[in-house]
Amino acid sequence: MTPNAAKPIRVLICEDSRFMQEVLHRILLSDPSVEIVGVVPLGREAIKLAPTLRPDAVILDMILPDMDGFEVLRHLVRVHLPAVIVSAVASPGSTVELQAMRMGAADCLHKPQNLNADGRFSRRLIASVKTAARISPEKMQELAARQSALPQSALAKTLVVIGASAGGPLLLREIIPQLPGDLRAAVLVVQHLPAAFTRQLAADLGALCALRVKQAESGDVFVEATALIAAGDRILKVEWVKNNWGAVNYSSIDSSSSHIRPWIDASMTTAAFLFGKRCLGVILSGMGCDGLEGMRKIRELGGRTIAQDEASAPVFGMPKASIEAGVVDQVLPISAIPAAIVRFVSAAARY
C-alpha cells in the first residue's frame, strides 16, 4: 500500500543489537509521519512477519544471528516489500552495498561510529525510508523479476585465497574467468603489484568472467561469487566481524612487516584462522617464498592447498618453496586449477 498524507509510513525493523534498535526507534519516531509496526532481531522473524504486516519499508541489518541479510532481502523483494539496508558492512562501494542494490534494496546506509552525534545519518535514514515507501507496486514487481534472474548471493562461508607474483596477471586470466557465476565461495586474490595497477587488474578480470570482481576496500565482507583483489602496496588481513563473518582490513605498515606489498602470507594466515577447513590456498608463479607460511597455516587449520606446477609457471620460486616445505596437497598445471577450486568449494558446502 502506498502511503499518503492521511496514513503513516509503517516500518518494520530487523536488527539484533538492542542498542541499535533503540537508536533506529528514536530516529524514526522523531518524524511524525513514521510508525514502527515491529522490531525483530532475527531474519526468520522478519521473513515470517513482513508478508502479514505489509510494512511500507523494512530496515534490515545484513549480519544477523540466524542468517545473512542477503537471504532476508531476497525474500522481501520477492513479496514486493522495499528494504533499506542499515549495516556496519554496507560502506559506500563495498561488496555488500553493490550486491544489495543489485538485488533490489531501496538504499544502503553505513552505520556511523557515533550514531548519537551523526545528524546526517538520521536525516538520510528518514529520507531513505520515505523514498522506499513511495516505490510503486509495479516497480517492486520489476525488481523481483530482475532479482530472480540473478545468481543467489550470500555472505561466504568458504574462501579461496590465490597468491601470485611474476606472471600472475596473465595466469589469473586462466583461473578467474573459468569459475562459475554461482560459486558458493568468495575469492581473494593477492597479486604482487604496485597500487596503480591492482584496480585495473580488477576491472580487466571483471570484464572477462561471471564472478563479480572489485578491488578490496577496508570493511568489505566476503560474498559468494565475488572476487576481491588486494590493493597494491598494502597489507590485507582477514578479520572477524559479527557472527563469525570475515572482512577485509588493511593493516598499518611497521618495521616488523614484510617488505612485500601485498603480502600473501599475511592474507592467507589470517584467512586460515577464520575460515579453517573452508579455506583453500592457491600459490602461483613468483620469485621467493611469499605464501609459504600462509599455505602452512591453512593446512594446519584443516584447509587445503594447491601449488602451480613447474611446467606451467613462468617463475617457479613461490610454488617450489611451498612444495619443498611439504605444505601442498596438490601440484597442478594452471589449466587444472579452476576445476580443483570448484571441487573444493562443492565439498566445503557439505561441511
Side-chain angles (χ1 to χ4, degrees):
M1 180 183 296
T2 303
N4 54 42
K7 295 182 178 180
I9 297 171
R10 303 171 69 253
V11 178
L12 172 64
I13 298 172
C14 182
E15 165 64 60
D16 64 310
S17 163
R18 290 293 297 273
F19 170 74
M20 194 64 196
Q21 289 175 3
E22 293 173 1
V23 170
L24 294 171
H25 198 276
R26 184 178 69 251
I27 292 172
L28 292 172
L29 293 187
S30 69
D31 190 302
S33 68
V34 177
E35 174 188 350
I36 297 173
V37 296
V39 179
V40 295
L42 301 178
R44 287 185 176 85
E45 292 179 344
I47 290 171
K48 181 179 179 180
L49 285 176
T52 302
L53 293 174
R54 299 302 302 177
D56 299 305
V58 179
I59 292 179
L60 175 63
D61 191 7
M62 291 304 288
I63 300 183
L64 299 164
D66 60 333
M67 61 200 307
D68 76 67
F70 285 121
E71 188 172 351
V72 183
L73 176 60
R74 190 175 301 116
H75 282 275
L76 293 175
V77 173
R78 283 176 182 168
V79 295
H80 304 164
L81 291 175
V84 175
I85 307 302
V86 179
S87 179
V89 297
S91 56
S94 66
T95 50
V96 167
E97 182 196 53
L98 295 174
Q99 186 58 12
M101 297 302 292
R102 192 170 179 232
M103 290 175 63
D107 201 358
C108 277
L109 281 70
H110 184 234
K111 293 177 184 175
Q113 290 187 337
N114 190 344
L115 286 158
N116 291 319
D118 197 324
R120 292 172 300 177
F121 173 79
S122 300
R123 292 189 293 273
R124 184 176 169 192
L125 175 64
I126 292 172
S128 295
V129 166
K130 290 181 176 181
T131 299
R134 289 194 294 268
I135 297 176
S136 68
E138 293 76 18
K139 181 62 175 178
M140 288 306 305
Q141 290 175 3
E142 177 187 330
L143 291 172
R146 186 188 309 165
Q147 184 201 91
S148 66
L150 294 174
Q152 292 195 0
S153 289
L155 298 179
K157 296 180 180 179
T158 301
L159 181 64
V160 178
V161 187
I162 302 175
S165 188
L170 289 178
L171 296 171
L172 290 168
R173 288 170 173 253
E174 298 188 49
I175 296 177
I176 306 299
Q178 307 307 317
L179 300 176
D182 59 353
L183 188 72
R184 297 291 305 277
V187 178
L188 173 61
V189 174
V190 187
Q191 165 69 54
H192 293 165
L193 275 178
F197 296 98
T198 47
R199 196 174 297 277
Q200 186 59 49
L201 174 64
D204 291 345
L205 290 173
L208 296 173
C209 65
L211 297 182
R212 297 174 294 278
V213 184
K214 69 182 289 288
Q215 179 168 290
E217 308 293 343
S218 286
D220 271 343
V221 292
F222 295 101
V223 176
E224 290 181 354
T226 299
L228 296 179
I229 311 299
D233 293 339
R234 302 177 74 185
I235 297 175
L236 185 153
K237 295 183 178 181
V238 177
E239 295 200 344
W240 178 91
V241 291
K242 190 172 72 171
N243 298 329
N244 290 326
W245 300 110
V248 168
N249 179 52
Y250 285 106
S251 68
S252 58
I253 297 172
D254 56 46
S255 59
S256 65
S257 299
S258 166
H259 66 283
I260 302 169
R261 308 284 183 270
W263 188 10
I264 299 168
D265 276 328
S267 300
M268 284 189 170
T269 299
T270 52
F273 279 113
L274 186 60
F275 286 88
K277 64 182 179 181
R278 290 176 173 269
C279 186
L280 173 65
V282 180
I283 196 73
L284 304 180
S285 170
M287 295 178 63
C289 61
D290 191 19
L292 167 57
E293 294 307 319
M295 297 276 277
R296 188 193 309 279
K297 186 57 65 176
I298 288 172
R299 210 155 178 258
E300 284 179 0
L301 296 178
R304 306 292 286 177
T305 55
I306 296 171
Q308 183 180 5
D309 71 355
E310 184 172 9
S312 65
V315 181
F316 193 50
M318 294 194 321
K320 181 181 179 181
S322 291
I323 293 167
E324 291 184 345
V327 298
V328 172
D329 293 305
Q330 291 180 282
V331 180
L332 299 174
I334 193 70
S335 60
I337 290 177
I341 291 173
V342 172
R343 286 194 297 272
F344 173 84
V345 171
S346 297
R350 297 192 290 270
Y351 294 160

PDB file of all heavy atoms in Angstrom, residues 253-259 263:
ATOM      1  N   ILE A 253      51.560  -0.397   8.203  1.00  0.00           N
ATOM      2  CA  ILE A 253      52.865  -0.979   7.889  1.00  0.00           C
ATOM      3  C   ILE A 253      53.866  -0.551   8.954  1.00  0.00           C
ATOM      4  O   ILE A 253      53.974   0.626   9.284  1.00  0.00           O
ATOM      5  CB  ILE A 253      53.333  -0.526   6.496  1.00  0.00           C
ATOM      6  CG1 ILE A 253      52.359  -1.036   5.429  1.00  0.00           C
ATOM      7  CG2 ILE A 253      54.742  -1.004   6.210  1.00  0.00           C
ATOM      8  CD1 ILE A 253      52.629  -0.479   4.053  1.00  0.00           C
ATOM      9  N   ASP A 254      54.557  -1.525   9.525  1.00  0.00           N
ATOM     10  CA  ASP A 254      55.588  -1.193  10.506  1.00  0.00           C
ATOM     11  C   ASP A 254      56.876  -1.926  10.151  1.00  0.00           C
ATOM     12  O   ASP A 254      56.941  -2.682   9.190  1.00  0.00           O
ATOM     13  CB  ASP A 254      55.129  -1.538  11.927  1.00  0.00           C
ATOM     14  CG  ASP A 254      54.725  -3.005  12.065  1.00  0.00           C
ATOM     15  OD1 ASP A 254      55.484  -3.868  11.580  1.00  0.00           O
ATOM     16  OD2 ASP A 254      53.666  -3.280  12.650  1.00  0.00           O
ATOM     17  N   SER A 255      57.899  -1.698  10.954  1.00  0.00           N
ATOM     18  CA  SER A 255      59.218  -2.242  10.628  1.00  0.00           C
ATOM     19  C   SER A 255      59.266  -3.760  10.698  1.00  0.00           C
ATOM     20  O   SER A 255      60.150  -4.382  10.110  1.00  0.00           O
ATOM     21  CB  SER A 255      60.260  -1.655  11.590  1.00  0.00           C
ATOM     22  OG  SER A 255      59.912  -1.965  12.934  1.00  0.00           O
ATOM     23  N   SER A 256      58.305  -4.383  11.413  1.00  0.00           N
ATOM     24  CA  SER A 256      58.312  -5.839  11.525  1.00  0.00           C
ATOM     25  C   SER A 256      57.597  -6.513  10.369  1.00  0.00           C
ATOM     26  O   SER A 256      57.637  -7.719  10.229  1.00  0.00           O
ATOM     27  CB  SER A 256      57.645  -6.259  12.847  1.00  0.00           C
ATOM     28  OG  SER A 256      56.274  -5.903  12.840  1.00  0.00           O
ATOM     29  N   SER A 257      56.909  -5.729   9.541  1.00  0.00           N
ATOM     30  CA  SER A 257      56.136  -6.292   8.439  1.00  0.00           C
ATOM     31  C   SER A 257      57.042  -6.666   7.275  1.00  0.00           C
ATOM     32  O   SER A 257      58.121  -6.111   7.093  1.00  0.00           O
ATOM     33  CB  SER A 257      55.092  -5.282   7.956  1.00  0.00           C
ATOM     34  OG  SER A 257      54.197  -4.954   8.985  1.00  0.00           O
ATOM     35  N   SER A 258      56.573  -7.606   6.472  1.00  0.00           N
ATOM     36  CA  SER A 258      57.297  -7.959   5.257  1.00  0.00           C
ATOM     37  C   SER A 258      57.415  -6.742   4.352  1.00  0.00           C
ATOM     38  O   SER A 258      56.540  -5.883   4.326  1.00  0.00           O
ATOM     39  CB  SER A 258      56.544  -9.073   4.525  1.00  0.00           C
ATOM     40  OG  SER A 258      57.036  -9.225   3.210  1.00  0.00           O
ATOM     41  N   HIS A 259      58.490  -6.683   3.587  1.00  0.00           N
ATOM     42  CA  HIS A 259      58.654  -5.580   2.635  1.00  0.00           C
ATOM     43  C   HIS A 259      57.794  -5.787   1.401  1.00  0.00           C
ATOM     44  O   HIS A 259      57.663  -4.899   0.569  1.00  0.00           O
ATOM     45  CB  HIS A 259      60.119  -5.473   2.216  1.00  0.00           C
ATOM     46  CG  HIS A 259      60.603  -6.654   1.421  1.00  0.00           C
ATOM     47  ND1 HIS A 259      60.924  -7.862   2.009  1.00  0.00           N
ATOM     48  CD2 HIS A 259      60.787  -6.829   0.082  1.00  0.00           C
ATOM     49  CE1 HIS A 259      61.309  -8.723   1.066  1.00  0.00           C
ATOM     50  NE2 HIS A 259      61.230  -8.124  -0.096  1.00  0.00           N
ATOM     51  N   TRP A 263      51.080  -8.672   0.795  1.00  0.00           N
ATOM     52  CA  TRP A 263      51.819  -9.745   1.463  1.00  0.00           C
ATOM     53  C   TRP A 263      50.937 -10.984   1.513  1.00  0.00           C
ATOM     54  O   TRP A 263      49.967 -11.041   2.255  1.00  0.00           O
ATOM     55  CB  TRP A 263      52.204  -9.274   2.858  1.00  0.00           C
ATOM     56  CG  TRP A 263      53.119 -10.173   3.628  1.00  0.00           C
ATOM     57  CD1 TRP A 263      53.803 -11.263   3.180  1.00  0.00           C
ATOM     58  CD2 TRP A 263      53.453 -10.036   5.013  1.00  0.00           C
ATOM     59  NE1 TRP A 263      54.541 -11.825   4.183  1.00  0.00           N
ATOM     60  CE2 TRP A 263      54.351 -11.085   5.327  1.00  0.00           C
ATOM     61  CE3 TRP A 263      53.093  -9.132   6.004  1.00  0.00           C
ATOM     62  CZ2 TRP A 263      54.869 -11.255   6.605  1.00  0.00           C
ATOM     63  CZ3 TRP A 263      53.611  -9.296   7.271  1.00  0.00           C
ATOM     64  CH2 TRP A 263      54.499 -10.344   7.567  1.00  0.00           C
TER      65      TRP A 263
END
